[in-house]
Amino acid sequence: MRFDVRRLLNNSFSISLRGLVRAGRRTSFALAVGVAVFLASGCASTRNSSRPFEPTPHAPAERGVGELNPEIMGPPESQPAYGPEQPEKTPLTVILGPGMARSFAAAGVLRALAENKIPVGAIVGTETGALIAALYSIDAKINGFEWRMMKFKNDAFVSSGILSRFLKSPGFSSKKLEVALERVFGATDLAKSKVPTRVSFRNSKTGEFYFLGEGETAKLLLAALSGPDWRDPANWQGAPAESAAFSRPFPVSEAKTLVGGPVLVVDTMISTPSESSAADADAEKKLFLSMQKSKLGARQDLEQADLVIRPQLTGIGYRDYHKRSEAAFQGKRAAIEAMPQIRRLAGMAEPMSGRGARAGEAEEQYSP
């Protein structure tokens, strides 16, 4: 038998190579296992170090490893704030008096109150002031209030047609106003208002005074907006009803019972004859004399008010509904001028930045 050295060497080399491969595999497996064990132990230690320290019931609490020093973090959020406590605001009861087109000055007053965060606890309205009060109290949001006010066009209040001038009548609209009221308020009840609201009017036959906070809003307002000098009496529960503008324009004593807070009155009744642009000067003069007579009788009511705001409305007549924006602008300006007094009534301190809203801030054109 022939001895083949070459084959023997080849077989030996193959056996050695296979052994090395097997050994390498075992070594690699061992290394992989070692790395896995190392990583697992590292993650566990990391979790333990990041876990908040929880003391046992029987051991005193000690800060754990990795927990931040409270002195670095500062005091807890539950720490009481320093400085004087903020006083609670006192809601105002706002009375919006009569004045027809001039009453839209009340819209500017309400905007000034909203911008200065003056709380309105209740709102009372007579004649057109009742309409503005009801429009505001739906949700007590000033932008929505002004948007709803735009739904009432000028011809819903007064007609300036040729026929009305020829007949020498005041030319006040009835049907258009009724349609506008139903479109905006529908069948909603005044009691559903976000702000407690009262509408005043009277029985045109018996003189009985109504101070109501519930009932169909559109019908209540139609009664409040009717009058002998501009619109036929409305029907309220079978009785003829008309505005209380000529009897109780400012029901302060009744208003004081609503929320018990201070009473702010917006007086837009004219004190001197206006050089109005109204087409019918005779009708304007008649309205002026009636309003003046009513205002003289309202002195006792006004004396009970905590503050009376009288916007400067020279040149704006009772029938000048095309000047509503100008009236609102003057109302806002008057409220801003009286804001220090209003803030005191509401129990609010003067703002640190100065004296609050200035009269000059109302120079921006008011466009409800």
Side-chain angles (χ1 to χ4, degrees), residues 87-153:
E88 187 175 347
K89 297 179 182 178
T90 303
L92 306 183
T93 297
V94 181
I95 299 179
L96 309 181
M100 300 182 185
R102 296 165 60 87
S103 293
F104 281 90
V109 173
L110 291 174
R111 169 162 277 281
L113 296 180
E115 291 177 351
N116 286 271
K117 297 180 173 55
I118 306 297
V120 176
I123 190 165
V124 177
T126 304
E127 191 225 79
T128 307
L131 172 63
I132 295 172
L135 288 171
Y136 172 80
S137 64
I138 288 178
D139 59 7
K141 296 179 180 178
I142 198 68
N143 291 334
F145 157 64
E146 291 172 348
W147 176 257
R148 289 186 291 272
M149 197 163 53
M150 292 174 62
K151 301 294 183 183
F152 289 85
K153 306 301 181 183

Side-chain angles (χ1 to χ4, degrees), residues 22-38:
R22 290 193 195 98
R25 287 176 179 172
R26 287 194 296 269
T27 304
S28 299
F29 178 76
L31 287 173
V33 171
V35 170
V37 171
F38 175 78

Side-chain angles (χ1 to χ4, degrees), residues 290-311:
S290 298
M291 290 285 189
Q292 279 300 100
K293 183 179 179 181
S294 175
K295 188 173 180 178
L296 290 174
R299 285 182 176 177
Q300 187 174 356
D301 274 328
L302 288 175
E303 288 174 356
Q304 299 180 57
D306 295 278
L307 180 63
V308 179
I309 295 178
R310 294 185 175 92

Side-chain angles (χ1 to χ4, degrees), residues 37-360:
V37 171
F38 175 78
L39 292 176
S41 63
C43 292
S45 63
T46 302
R47 285 197 301 271
N48 291 334
S49 63
S50 60
R51 185 180 303 166
F53 176 70
E54 298 177 359
T56 61
H58 305 289
E62 295 179 0
R63 194 169 70 249
V65 178
E67 192 172 324
L68 291 176
N69 191 332
E71 295 178 0
I72 298 176
M73 298 300 292
E77 293 183 3
S78 59
Q79 197 79 2
Y82 294 100
E85 293 184 5
Q86 294 298 323
E88 187 175 347
K89 297 179 182 178
T90 303
L92 306 183
T93 297
V94 181
I95 299 179
L96 309 181
M100 300 182 185
R102 296 165 60 87
S103 293
F104 281 90
V109 173
L110 291 174
R111 169 162 277 281
L113 296 180
E115 291 177 351
N116 286 271
K117 297 180 173 55
I118 306 297
V120 176
I123 190 165
V124 177
T126 304
E127 191 225 79
T128 307
L131 172 63
I132 295 172
L135 288 171
Y136 172 80
S137 64
I138 288 178
D139 59 7
K141 296 179 180 178
I142 198 68
N143 291 334
F145 157 64
E146 291 172 348
W147 176 257
R148 289 186 291 272
M149 197 163 53
M150 292 174 62
K151 301 294 183 183
F152 289 85
K153 306 301 181 183
N154 294 341
D155 61 359
F157 301 100
V158 62
S159 172
S160 58
I162 297 176
L163 182 61
S164 64
R165 295 185 187 184
F166 176 76
L167 294 175
K168 297 294 182 182
S169 67
F172 284 92
S173 175
S174 292
K175 187 62 179 176
K176 288 184 178 181
L177 176 62
E178 187 174 353
V179 170
L181 289 171
E182 292 178 353
R183 184 176 65 248
V184 173
F185 294 100
T188 57
D189 195 293
L190 189 64
K192 302 294 184 181
S193 303
K194 295 293 183 182
V195 176
T197 307
R198 297 294 184 272
V199 170
S200 65
F201 54 92
R202 71 168 192 162
N203 186 310
S204 60
K205 283 188 175 180
T206 65
E208 181 183 359
F209 179 71
Y210 296 97
F211 187 76
L212 302 179
E214 59 181 358
E216 195 170 325
T217 304
K219 292 181 179 180
L220 287 168
L221 293 178
L222 191 62
L225 290 163
S226 300
D229 289 333
W230 62 86
R231 196 175 288 110
D232 292 336
N235 186 325
W236 174 252
Q237 298 181 346
E242 65 182 16
S243 168
F246 299 152
S247 55
R248 290 287 308 284
F250 308 109
V252 179
S253 57
E254 292 83 353
K256 280 183 172 291
T257 65
L258 295 179
V259 294
V263 173
L264 169 66
V265 172
V266 181
D267 178 11
T268 58
M269 299 178 76
I270 205 164
S271 56
T272 56
S274 171
E275 296 178 1
S276 169
S277 59
D280 193 338
D282 291 338
E284 185 74 15
K285 185 177 181 180
K286 186 177 181 180
L287 288 170
F288 163 74
L289 293 175
S290 298
M291 290 285 189
Q292 279 300 100
K293 183 179 179 181
S294 175
K295 188 173 180 178
L296 290 174
R299 285 182 176 177
Q300 187 174 356
D301 274 328
L302 288 175
E303 288 174 356
Q304 299 180 57
D306 295 278
L307 180 63
V308 179
I309 295 178
R310 294 185 175 92
Q312 295 296 323
L313 300 172
T314 304
I316 302 177
Y318 295 113
R319 304 200 307 145
D320 287 339
Y321 286 94
H322 62 286
K323 293 185 177 182
R324 290 190 292 172
S325 293
E326 182 180 343
F329 168 78
Q330 294 297 341
K332 181 180 179 180
R333 186 171 191 172
I336 289 174
E337 290 176 350
M339 195 54 63
Q341 297 168 272
I342 296 173
R343 292 181 68 88
R344 284 195 292 272
L345 288 178
M348 299 169 61
E350 285 294 296
M352 297 297 293
S353 57
R355 287 295 179 182
R358 303 285 185 180

